[in-house]
Amino acid sequence: MLGCLTQLPRPDRCDGTYEQYCDPSREYDNVTAIISAAGKTDLLSYMNTYWKDYQGDDEDFWEHEWDKHGTCISTLEPGCYSDYTPQEE
């Protein structure tokens, strides 16, 4: 499997699955507030339109997806930033 990971430019396990719940310190329960504070209203509008929870609780769905998958991928190296603040990923 290691050969597969080094040959393909993607972060999956070569079977379509991805790492899960990788960094508990980056699990957030305020996705809407984080996106709004970053001034990304266009992204939030898009999510409100197209990334819907089938039970109607979009915020809970987004939090779940971030916690499960988003915590496993980041190009951010917090140690490289003297003024890094959590939730600015």
Side-chain angles (χ1 to χ4, degrees), residues 27-84:
E27 290 183 13
Y28 303 131
D29 62 1
N30 55 344
V31 172
T32 297
I34 292 168
I35 294 171
S36 294
K40 300 294 185 180
T41 55
D42 55 337
L43 172 60
L44 193 55
S45 177
Y46 182 89
M47 289 169 62
N48 277 312
T49 301
Y50 298 106
W51 204 21
K52 307 297 286 177
D53 177 58
Y54 76 99
Q55 295 178 328
D57 190 347
D58 297 341
E59 179 74 17
D60 187 60
F61 171 63
W62 300 336
E63 291 164 3
H64 165 77
E65 291 300 314
W66 171 260
D67 294 348
K68 184 172 183 180
H69 303 292
T71 60
C72 296
I73 280 213
S74 178
T75 57
L76 179 66
E77 294 284 345
C80 296
Y81 299 92
S82 59
D83 61 347
Y84 169 73

